[in-house]
Each structure stands twice: as C-alpha cells, then as structure tokens.
Amino acid sequence: MKNTISQGFLLNPTGEGKVSWIDHRDIALVAKHILTEDTHHRATYFLTGPEALSTNDVARKFTKVLGFEVNSVPIAMEDMRNQLVHTGLDEWRIHSFMAQYDMVKGAYGVDVTEDVKRITGQNPRTLEQFIEEFKGEFSRGREVAVA
C-alpha cells in the first residue's frame, strides 16, 4: 500500500463521501495563534481546508499536478481493513481509520469553514498546493519512461 499514488491509484473505501483536507501546517499556525492570543478563551473551532473533496476529486487533482494518471479505485470496507492490517498498523489505528472512512462514506463530515482564515488571516492551503510542494514524494519510485 506504500505510495500507491506513484503507482497511479488511490484506494477508495468512501465512495463519493467528501473530506475537507487540511494541511498540518495550517493546523500548526492556528495553534500558534490560539496559544499566543488572549481572544480564544473557551472558543470552539472547526478547522477545514478550502473545499470538500471526494476520493475521485482527489485523484483528479493528483493527476493534474503530477502529470500522470492517478485513479480512484473502489474498495470494500473489509478489504480496506485487510489492507491496513497488512501494513502492520496497530489495531487502535486501524480502528480509527475505519471509523473515519465510515463517517466520510456516510457523509457525516464537517462543512467547510472559514476558521483558518479568521484566526490566522491566511487562506488554508489547497490540496493542489500541497501536492505541488511534495511532488517528489508522491512520484518517488515511479518508473520514468526513456525515449
């Protein structure tokens, strides 16, 4: 399962369910503001990226940025669980992933919010920006055709 993107596919146990992917650096920036400003006492925030995306949407964005086809491959939940077991993950982590997949598949996600921008003054990074910044990692191990 390691770096399936470089192999041209993303496993999709969530169907058309959507997630608003957020960059960990945006989360860290929000945390910095919350911990260093006095205006956040007892506040609750829902941090999201700028748009909600299905796995099919994500595959299209990878294809666009990386320049090679990345397909969303449907997989049954039990088969996904078996894939995670095969990677050697701890049971609690597998359970956590499966619970998240269930929530996304059932469309129980959080709507896109403006909380990152409201707190930091900056728009959250897009998935395209993230892919572009880590393009080498996502392409690692990919065979390059020689003309």
Side-chain angles (χ1 to χ4, degrees):
M1 223 171 100
K2 188 175 181 182
N3 202 358
T4 62
I5 293 166
S6 71
Q7 298 170 40
F9 69 95
L10 284 171
L11 295 176
N12 180 2
T14 58
E16 282 301 314
K18 294 186 175 192
V19 174
S20 181
W21 299 97
I22 184 168
D23 190 300
H24 62 280
R25 294 166 295 180
D26 292 326
I27 295 169
L29 184 58
V30 167
K32 179 194 128 206
H33 282 271
I34 289 173
L35 294 171
T36 60
E37 299 168 356
D38 293 330
T39 58
H40 303 283
H41 182 69
R42 296 184 152 259
T44 300
Y45 300 110
F46 294 97
L47 305 181
T48 69
E51 62 183 326
L53 303 166
S54 69
T55 304
N56 294 329
D57 298 329
V58 171
R60 283 189 288 275
K61 290 181 183 290
F62 271 104
T63 296
K64 178 182 171 188
V65 175
L66 297 178
F68 59 85
E69 190 75 26
V70 177
N71 294 296
S72 170
V73 178
I75 185 170
M77 291 293 266
E78 190 56 34
D79 293 335
M80 186 68 203
R81 183 176 217 304
N82 291 336
Q83 287 289 323
L84 294 173
V85 168
H86 182 70
T87 66
L89 289 175
D90 294 330
E91 183 58 36
W92 71 267
R93 190 166 296 169
I94 292 170
H95 178 76
S96 176
F97 278 126
M98 296 308 295
Q100 290 175 33
Y101 296 149
D102 248 351
M103 287 178 56
V104 172
K105 188 172 188 170
Y108 299 113
V110 174
D111 292 334
V112 174
T113 71
E114 294 286 325
D115 285 353
V116 171
K117 184 172 184 175
R118 191 161 39 89
I119 295 165
T120 68
Q122 297 177 19
N123 288 320
R125 289 171 179 86
T126 65
L127 181 60
E128 290 96 332
Q129 288 171 312
F130 180 82
I131 297 167
E132 185 64 45
E133 289 178 49
F134 294 95
K135 192 183 243 185
E137 292 299 316
F138 292 120
S139 300
R140 185 174 307 230
R142 183 159 179 82
E143 292 183 24
V144 178
V146 178

PDB file of all heavy atoms in Angstrom, residues 40-70:
ATOM      1  N   HIS A  40      -9.149  33.732  22.416  1.00  0.00           N
ATOM      2  CA  HIS A  40      -9.699  32.428  22.050  1.00  0.00           C
ATOM      3  C   HIS A  40     -10.201  31.618  23.237  1.00  0.00           C
ATOM      4  O   HIS A  40     -10.548  30.448  23.078  1.00  0.00           O
ATOM      5  CB  HIS A  40      -8.633  31.618  21.296  1.00  0.00           C
ATOM      6  CG  HIS A  40      -8.119  32.324  20.093  1.00  0.00           C
ATOM      7  ND1 HIS A  40      -8.820  32.407  18.922  1.00  0.00           N
ATOM      8  CD2 HIS A  40      -6.962  33.016  19.896  1.00  0.00           C
ATOM      9  CE1 HIS A  40      -8.125  33.105  18.038  1.00  0.00           C
ATOM     10  NE2 HIS A  40      -6.994  33.486  18.610  1.00  0.00           N
ATOM     11  N   HIS A  41     -10.275  32.222  24.400  1.00  0.00           N
ATOM     12  CA  HIS A  41     -10.704  31.505  25.598  1.00  0.00           C
ATOM     13  C   HIS A  41     -12.107  30.916  25.400  1.00  0.00           C
ATOM     14  O   HIS A  41     -13.036  31.611  25.016  1.00  0.00           O
ATOM     15  CB  HIS A  41     -10.673  32.457  26.807  1.00  0.00           C
ATOM     16  CG  HIS A  41     -11.056  31.798  28.082  1.00  0.00           C
ATOM     17  ND1 HIS A  41     -10.249  30.862  28.681  1.00  0.00           N
ATOM     18  CD2 HIS A  41     -12.159  31.921  28.857  1.00  0.00           C
ATOM     19  CE1 HIS A  41     -10.842  30.444  29.777  1.00  0.00           C
ATOM     20  NE2 HIS A  41     -11.997  31.070  29.911  1.00  0.00           N
ATOM     21  N   ARG A  42     -12.228  29.635  25.638  1.00  0.00           N
ATOM     22  CA  ARG A  42     -13.488  28.887  25.552  1.00  0.00           C
ATOM     23  C   ARG A  42     -14.082  28.825  24.137  1.00  0.00           C
ATOM     24  O   ARG A  42     -15.239  28.479  23.957  1.00  0.00           O
ATOM     25  CB  ARG A  42     -14.515  29.423  26.527  1.00  0.00           C
ATOM     26  CG  ARG A  42     -14.100  29.261  27.961  1.00  0.00           C
ATOM     27  CD  ARG A  42     -15.189  29.724  28.912  1.00  0.00           C
ATOM     28  NE  ARG A  42     -15.072  28.991  30.136  1.00  0.00           N
ATOM     29  CZ  ARG A  42     -15.817  27.943  30.490  1.00  0.00           C
ATOM     30  NH1 ARG A  42     -16.755  27.512  29.713  1.00  0.00           N
ATOM     31  NH2 ARG A  42     -15.633  27.339  31.633  1.00  0.00           N
ATOM     32  N   ALA A  43     -13.297  29.169  23.134  1.00  0.00           N
ATOM     33  CA  ALA A  43     -13.790  29.135  21.753  1.00  0.00           C
ATOM     34  C   ALA A  43     -13.689  27.705  21.204  1.00  0.00           C
ATOM     35  O   ALA A  43     -12.827  26.931  21.606  1.00  0.00           O
ATOM     36  CB  ALA A  43     -12.982  30.080  20.878  1.00  0.00           C
ATOM     37  N   THR A  44     -14.575  27.392  20.302  1.00  0.00           N
ATOM     38  CA  THR A  44     -14.550  26.114  19.587  1.00  0.00           C
ATOM     39  C   THR A  44     -14.404  26.411  18.106  1.00  0.00           C
ATOM     40  O   THR A  44     -15.119  27.253  17.565  1.00  0.00           O
ATOM     41  CB  THR A  44     -15.852  25.328  19.816  1.00  0.00           C
ATOM     42  OG1 THR A  44     -16.012  25.082  21.215  1.00  0.00           O
ATOM     43  CG2 THR A  44     -15.837  24.006  19.060  1.00  0.00           C
ATOM     44  N   TYR A  45     -13.477  25.709  17.474  1.00  0.00           N
ATOM     45  CA  TYR A  45     -13.236  25.919  16.056  1.00  0.00           C
ATOM     46  C   TYR A  45     -13.332  24.585  15.314  1.00  0.00           C
ATOM     47  O   TYR A  45     -13.001  23.537  15.863  1.00  0.00           O
ATOM     48  CB  TYR A  45     -11.847  26.528  15.821  1.00  0.00           C
ATOM     49  CG  TYR A  45     -11.659  27.853  16.491  1.00  0.00           C
ATOM     50  CD1 TYR A  45     -10.816  27.995  17.583  1.00  0.00           C
ATOM     51  CD2 TYR A  45     -12.340  28.985  16.046  1.00  0.00           C
ATOM     52  CE1 TYR A  45     -10.639  29.217  18.200  1.00  0.00           C
ATOM     53  CE2 TYR A  45     -12.173  30.216  16.663  1.00  0.00           C
ATOM     54  CZ  TYR A  45     -11.323  30.316  17.744  1.00  0.00           C
ATOM     55  OH  TYR A  45     -11.162  31.534  18.362  1.00  0.00           O
ATOM     56  N   PHE A  46     -13.753  24.670  14.084  1.00  0.00           N
ATOM     57  CA  PHE A  46     -13.770  23.519  13.186  1.00  0.00           C
ATOM     58  C   PHE A  46     -12.835  23.856  12.032  1.00  0.00           C
ATOM     59  O   PHE A  46     -13.188  24.641  11.157  1.00  0.00           O
ATOM     60  CB  PHE A  46     -15.194  23.233  12.690  1.00  0.00           C
ATOM     61  CG  PHE A  46     -16.118  22.803  13.792  1.00  0.00           C
ATOM     62  CD1 PHE A  46     -16.947  23.717  14.408  1.00  0.00           C
ATOM     63  CD2 PHE A  46     -16.125  21.482  14.220  1.00  0.00           C
ATOM     64  CE1 PHE A  46     -17.791  23.323  15.433  1.00  0.00           C
ATOM     65  CE2 PHE A  46     -16.963  21.079  15.248  1.00  0.00           C
ATOM     66  CZ  PHE A  46     -17.795  22.003  15.860  1.00  0.00           C
ATOM     67  N   LEU A  47     -11.651  23.290  12.068  1.00  0.00           N
ATOM     68  CA  LEU A  47     -10.636  23.613  11.079  1.00  0.00           C
ATOM     69  C   LEU A  47     -10.803  22.721   9.851  1.00  0.00           C
ATOM     70  O   LEU A  47     -10.866  21.498   9.968  1.00  0.00           O
ATOM     71  CB  LEU A  47      -9.241  23.423  11.669  1.00  0.00           C
ATOM     72  CG  LEU A  47      -8.950  24.184  12.954  1.00  0.00           C
ATOM     73  CD1 LEU A  47      -7.524  23.918  13.413  1.00  0.00           C
ATOM     74  CD2 LEU A  47      -9.217  25.667  12.780  1.00  0.00           C
ATOM     75  N   THR A  48     -10.868  23.353   8.697  1.00  0.00           N
ATOM     76  CA  THR A  48     -11.004  22.621   7.444  1.00  0.00           C
ATOM     77  C   THR A  48     -10.109  23.253   6.392  1.00  0.00           C
ATOM     78  O   THR A  48      -9.660  24.388   6.540  1.00  0.00           O
ATOM     79  CB  THR A  48     -12.452  22.649   6.908  1.00  0.00           C
ATOM     80  OG1 THR A  48     -12.767  23.981   6.472  1.00  0.00           O
ATOM     81  CG2 THR A  48     -13.452  22.185   7.954  1.00  0.00           C
ATOM     82  N   GLY A  49      -9.900  22.505   5.332  1.00  0.00           N
ATOM     83  CA  GLY A  49      -9.255  23.062   4.153  1.00  0.00           C
ATOM     84  C   GLY A  49     -10.273  23.893   3.402  1.00  0.00           C
ATOM     85  O   GLY A  49     -11.404  24.088   3.860  1.00  0.00           O
ATOM     86  N   PRO A  50      -9.907  24.383   2.221  1.00  0.00           N
ATOM     87  CA  PRO A  50     -10.768  25.309   1.495  1.00  0.00           C
ATOM     88  C   PRO A  50     -11.922  24.673   0.730  1.00  0.00           C
ATOM     89  O   PRO A  50     -12.827  25.374   0.283  1.00  0.00           O
ATOM     90  CB  PRO A  50      -9.812  26.002   0.525  1.00  0.00           C
ATOM     91  CG  PRO A  50      -8.715  25.014   0.305  1.00  0.00           C
ATOM     92  CD  PRO A  50      -8.579  24.270   1.608  1.00  0.00           C
ATOM     93  N   GLU A  51     -11.905  23.328   0.547  1.00  0.00           N
ATOM     94  CA  GLU A  51     -13.001  22.684  -0.185  1.00  0.00           C
ATOM     95  C   GLU A  51     -13.145  21.227   0.246  1.00  0.00           C
ATOM     96  O   GLU A  51     -12.186  20.597   0.678  1.00  0.00           O
ATOM     97  CB  GLU A  51     -12.779  22.767  -1.694  1.00  0.00           C
ATOM     98  CG  GLU A  51     -11.538  22.059  -2.182  1.00  0.00           C
ATOM     99  CD  GLU A  51     -11.303  22.225  -3.678  1.00  0.00           C
ATOM    100  OE1 GLU A  51     -12.281  22.287  -4.443  1.00  0.00           O
ATOM    101  OE2 GLU A  51     -10.133  22.266  -4.076  1.00  0.00           O
ATOM    102  N   ALA A  52     -14.371  20.717   0.118  1.00  0.00           N
ATOM    103  CA  ALA A  52     -14.642  19.314   0.418  1.00  0.00           C
ATOM    104  C   ALA A  52     -14.454  18.504  -0.863  1.00  0.00           C
ATOM    105  O   ALA A  52     -14.962  18.876  -1.918  1.00  0.00           O
ATOM    106  CB  ALA A  52     -16.059  19.156   0.952  1.00  0.00           C
ATOM    107  N   LEU A  53     -13.706  17.403  -0.752  1.00  0.00           N
ATOM    108  CA  LEU A  53     -13.346  16.605  -1.924  1.00  0.00           C
ATOM    109  C   LEU A  53     -13.615  15.123  -1.695  1.00  0.00           C
ATOM    110  O   LEU A  53     -13.303  14.592  -0.628  1.00  0.00           O
ATOM    111  CB  LEU A  53     -11.851  16.767  -2.227  1.00  0.00           C
ATOM    112  CG  LEU A  53     -11.340  18.190  -2.454  1.00  0.00           C
ATOM    113  CD1 LEU A  53      -9.822  18.221  -2.392  1.00  0.00           C
ATOM    114  CD2 LEU A  53     -11.852  18.701  -3.780  1.00  0.00           C
ATOM    115  N   SER A  54     -14.146  14.463  -2.721  1.00  0.00           N
ATOM    116  CA  SER A  54     -14.264  13.008  -2.690  1.00  0.00           C
ATOM    117  C   SER A  54     -12.908  12.422  -3.095  1.00  0.00           C
ATOM    118  O   SER A  54     -12.035  13.138  -3.602  1.00  0.00           O
ATOM    119  CB  SER A  54     -15.344  12.539  -3.669  1.00  0.00           C
ATOM    120  OG  SER A  54     -14.910  12.749  -5.008  1.00  0.00           O
ATOM    121  N   THR A  55     -12.743  11.130  -2.915  1.00  0.00           N
ATOM    122  CA  THR A  55     -11.506  10.483  -3.350  1.00  0.00           C
ATOM    123  C   THR A  55     -11.348  10.604  -4.863  1.00  0.00           C
ATOM    124  O   THR A  55     -10.234  10.761  -5.367  1.00  0.00           O
ATOM    125  CB  THR A  55     -11.464   9.008  -2.907  1.00  0.00           C
ATOM    126  OG1 THR A  55     -11.641   8.961  -1.482  1.00  0.00           O
ATOM    127  CG2 THR A  55     -10.136   8.352  -3.242  1.00  0.00           C
ATOM    128  N   ASN A  56     -12.459  10.573  -5.593  1.00  0.00           N
ATOM    129  CA  ASN A  56     -12.394  10.781  -7.043  1.00  0.00           C
ATOM    130  C   ASN A  56     -11.861  12.174  -7.365  1.00  0.00           C
ATOM    131  O   ASN A  56     -11.037  12.329  -8.271  1.00  0.00           O
ATOM    132  CB  ASN A  56     -13.764  10.576  -7.691  1.00  0.00           C
ATOM    133  CG  ASN A  56     -14.233   9.135  -7.597  1.00  0.00           C
ATOM    134  OD1 ASN A  56     -13.436   8.208  -7.600  1.00  0.00           O
ATOM    135  ND2 ASN A  56     -15.531   8.948  -7.500  1.00  0.00           N
ATOM    136  N   ASP A  57     -12.330  13.183  -6.624  1.00  0.00           N
ATOM    137  CA  ASP A  57     -11.825  14.552  -6.814  1.00  0.00           C
ATOM    138  C   ASP A  57     -10.330  14.618  -6.521  1.00  0.00           C
ATOM    139  O   ASP A  57      -9.569  15.259  -7.254  1.00  0.00           O
ATOM    140  CB  ASP A  57     -12.544  15.539  -5.877  1.00  0.00           C
ATOM    141  CG  ASP A  57     -14.030  15.651  -6.104  1.00  0.00           C
ATOM    142  OD1 ASP A  57     -14.484  15.474  -7.254  1.00  0.00           O
ATOM    143  OD2 ASP A  57     -14.749  15.919  -5.109  1.00  0.00           O
ATOM    144  N   VAL A  58      -9.921  13.976  -5.445  1.00  0.00           N
ATOM    145  CA  VAL A  58      -8.513  13.978  -5.042  1.00  0.00           C
ATOM    146  C   VAL A  58      -7.654  13.328  -6.128  1.00  0.00           C
ATOM    147  O   VAL A  58      -6.594  13.856  -6.495  1.00  0.00           O
ATOM    148  CB  VAL A  58      -8.328  13.268  -3.680  1.00  0.00           C
ATOM    149  CG1 VAL A  58      -6.850  13.074  -3.359  1.00  0.00           C
ATOM    150  CG2 VAL A  58      -9.024  14.055  -2.572  1.00  0.00           C
ATOM    151  N   ALA A  59      -8.108  12.209  -6.666  1.00  0.00           N
ATOM    152  CA  ALA A  59      -7.352  11.528  -7.732  1.00  0.00           C
ATOM    153  C   ALA A  59      -7.187  12.442  -8.942  1.00  0.00           C
ATOM    154  O   ALA A  59      -6.103  12.501  -9.537  1.00  0.00           O
ATOM    155  CB  ALA A  59      -8.053  10.229  -8.123  1.00  0.00           C
ATOM    156  N   ARG A  60      -8.248  13.182  -9.289  1.00  0.00           N
ATOM    157  CA  ARG A  60      -8.152  14.112 -10.427  1.00  0.00           C
ATOM    158  C   ARG A  60      -7.128  15.209 -10.156  1.00  0.00           C
ATOM    159  O   ARG A  60      -6.377  15.609 -11.042  1.00  0.00           O
ATOM    160  CB  ARG A  60      -9.523  14.710 -10.743  1.00  0.00           C
ATOM    161  CG  ARG A  60     -10.440  13.761 -11.491  1.00  0.00           C
ATOM    162  CD  ARG A  60     -11.698  14.451 -11.988  1.00  0.00           C
ATOM    163  NE  ARG A  60     -12.644  14.778 -10.936  1.00  0.00           N
ATOM    164  CZ  ARG A  60     -13.559  13.929 -10.467  1.00  0.00           C
ATOM    165  NH1 ARG A  60     -13.653  12.706 -10.945  1.00  0.00           N
ATOM    166  NH2 ARG A  60     -14.378  14.307  -9.523  1.00  0.00           N
ATOM    167  N   LYS A  61      -7.081  15.704  -8.931  1.00  0.00           N
ATOM    168  CA  LYS A  61      -6.117  16.760  -8.592  1.00  0.00           C
ATOM    169  C   LYS A  61      -4.685  16.223  -8.636  1.00  0.00           C
ATOM    170  O   LYS A  61      -3.782  16.908  -9.109  1.00  0.00           O
ATOM    171  CB  LYS A  61      -6.456  17.376  -7.238  1.00  0.00           C
ATOM    172  CG  LYS A  61      -7.733  18.209  -7.312  1.00  0.00           C
ATOM    173  CD  LYS A  61      -8.081  18.851  -6.006  1.00  0.00           C
ATOM    174  CE  LYS A  61      -9.389  19.599  -6.095  1.00  0.00           C
ATOM    175  NZ  LYS A  61      -9.329  20.805  -6.907  1.00  0.00           N
ATOM    176  N   PHE A  62      -4.470  14.996  -8.157  1.00  0.00           N
ATOM    177  CA  PHE A  62      -3.142  14.389  -8.255  1.00  0.00           C
ATOM    178  C   PHE A  62      -2.742  14.248  -9.719  1.00  0.00           C
ATOM    179  O   PHE A  62      -1.609  14.548 -10.086  1.00  0.00           O
ATOM    180  CB  PHE A  62      -3.100  13.029  -7.559  1.00  0.00           C
ATOM    181  CG  PHE A  62      -2.743  13.118  -6.105  1.00  0.00           C
ATOM    182  CD1 PHE A  62      -3.706  12.973  -5.123  1.00  0.00           C
ATOM    183  CD2 PHE A  62      -1.432  13.348  -5.717  1.00  0.00           C
ATOM    184  CE1 PHE A  62      -3.374  13.051  -3.775  1.00  0.00           C
ATOM    185  CE2 PHE A  62      -1.085  13.433  -4.374  1.00  0.00           C
ATOM    186  CZ  PHE A  62      -2.063  13.289  -3.407  1.00  0.00           C
ATOM    187  N   THR A  63      -3.664  13.779 -10.557  1.00  0.00           N
ATOM    188  CA  THR A  63      -3.389  13.617 -11.981  1.00  0.00           C
ATOM    189  C   THR A  63      -2.967  14.944 -12.596  1.00  0.00           C
ATOM    190  O   THR A  63      -1.968  15.019 -13.324  1.00  0.00           O
ATOM    191  CB  THR A  63      -4.636  13.056 -12.711  1.00  0.00           C
ATOM    192  OG1 THR A  63      -4.911  11.747 -12.205  1.00  0.00           O
ATOM    193  CG2 THR A  63      -4.425  12.997 -14.211  1.00  0.00           C
ATOM    194  N   LYS A  64      -3.703  15.991 -12.294  1.00  0.00           N
ATOM    195  CA  LYS A  64      -3.436  17.318 -12.861  1.00  0.00           C
ATOM    196  C   LYS A  64      -2.053  17.833 -12.442  1.00  0.00           C
ATOM    197  O   LYS A  64      -1.281  18.300 -13.271  1.00  0.00           O
ATOM    198  CB  LYS A  64      -4.529  18.293 -12.407  1.00  0.00           C
ATOM    199  CG  LYS A  64      -4.334  19.709 -12.878  1.00  0.00           C
ATOM    200  CD  LYS A  64      -5.436  20.593 -12.338  1.00  0.00           C
ATOM    201  CE  LYS A  64      -5.144  22.060 -12.619  1.00  0.00           C
ATOM    202  NZ  LYS A  64      -6.100  22.942 -11.955  1.00  0.00           N
ATOM    203  N   VAL A  65      -1.736  17.737 -11.174  1.00  0.00           N
ATOM    204  CA  VAL A  65      -0.480  18.310 -10.678  1.00  0.00           C
ATOM    205  C   VAL A  65       0.725  17.429 -11.013  1.00  0.00           C
ATOM    206  O   VAL A  65       1.780  17.935 -11.403  1.00  0.00           O
ATOM    207  CB  VAL A  65      -0.550  18.563  -9.150  1.00  0.00           C
ATOM    208  CG1 VAL A  65       0.797  19.052  -8.616  1.00  0.00           C
ATOM    209  CG2 VAL A  65      -1.648  19.569  -8.819  1.00  0.00           C
ATOM    210  N   LEU A  66       0.588  16.117 -10.887  1.00  0.00           N
ATOM    211  CA  LEU A  66       1.734  15.227 -11.086  1.00  0.00           C
ATOM    212  C   LEU A  66       2.019  14.926 -12.547  1.00  0.00           C
ATOM    213  O   LEU A  66       3.135  14.533 -12.893  1.00  0.00           O
ATOM    214  CB  LEU A  66       1.519  13.911 -10.328  1.00  0.00           C
ATOM    215  CG  LEU A  66       1.423  14.032  -8.805  1.00  0.00           C
ATOM    216  CD1 LEU A  66       1.173  12.665  -8.185  1.00  0.00           C
ATOM    217  CD2 LEU A  66       2.656  14.689  -8.215  1.00  0.00           C
ATOM    218  N   GLY A  67       1.015  15.079 -13.394  1.00  0.00           N
ATOM    219  CA  GLY A  67       1.237  14.848 -14.816  1.00  0.00           C
ATOM    220  C   GLY A  67       1.166  13.396 -15.244  1.00  0.00           C
ATOM    221  O   GLY A  67       1.561  13.052 -16.348  1.00  0.00           O
ATOM    222  N   PHE A  68       0.698  12.526 -14.364  1.00  0.00           N
ATOM    223  CA  PHE A  68       0.423  11.138 -14.742  1.00  0.00           C
ATOM    224  C   PHE A  68      -0.908  10.737 -14.108  1.00  0.00           C
ATOM    225  O   PHE A  68      -1.347  11.327 -13.123  1.00  0.00           O
ATOM    226  CB  PHE A  68       1.556  10.179 -14.356  1.00  0.00           C
ATOM    227  CG  PHE A  68       1.886  10.117 -12.882  1.00  0.00           C
ATOM    228  CD1 PHE A  68       1.176   9.282 -12.019  1.00  0.00           C
ATOM    229  CD2 PHE A  68       2.927  10.869 -12.367  1.00  0.00           C
ATOM    230  CE1 PHE A  68       1.495   9.221 -10.673  1.00  0.00           C
ATOM    231  CE2 PHE A  68       3.265  10.821 -11.021  1.00  0.00           C
ATOM    232  CZ  PHE A  68       2.536   9.992 -10.166  1.00  0.00           C
ATOM    233  N   GLU A  69      -1.540   9.755 -14.717  1.00  0.00           N
ATOM    234  CA  GLU A  69      -2.886   9.345 -14.301  1.00  0.00           C
ATOM    235  C   GLU A  69      -2.870   8.723 -12.911  1.00  0.00           C
ATOM    236  O   GLU A  69      -2.090   7.811 -12.623  1.00  0.00           O
ATOM    237  CB  GLU A  69      -3.447   8.336 -15.315  1.00  0.00           C
ATOM    238  CG  GLU A  69      -4.904   8.020 -15.120  1.00  0.00           C
ATOM    239  CD  GLU A  69      -5.828   9.146 -15.580  1.00  0.00           C
ATOM    240  OE1 GLU A  69      -5.429   9.931 -16.453  1.00  0.00           O
ATOM    241  OE2 GLU A  69      -6.940   9.231 -15.045  1.00  0.00           O
ATOM    242  N   VAL A  70      -3.736   9.237 -12.038  1.00  0.00           N
ATOM    243  CA  VAL A  70      -3.975   8.642 -10.728  1.00  0.00           C
ATOM    244  C   VAL A  70      -5.470   8.361 -10.668  1.00  0.00           C
ATOM    245  O   VAL A  70      -6.283   9.276 -10.838  1.00  0.00           O
ATOM    246  CB  VAL A  70      -3.552   9.582  -9.577  1.00  0.00           C
ATOM    247  CG1 VAL A  70      -3.890   8.954  -8.230  1.00  0.00           C
ATOM    248  CG2 VAL A  70      -2.063   9.916  -9.663  1.00  0.00           C
TER     249      VAL A  70
END
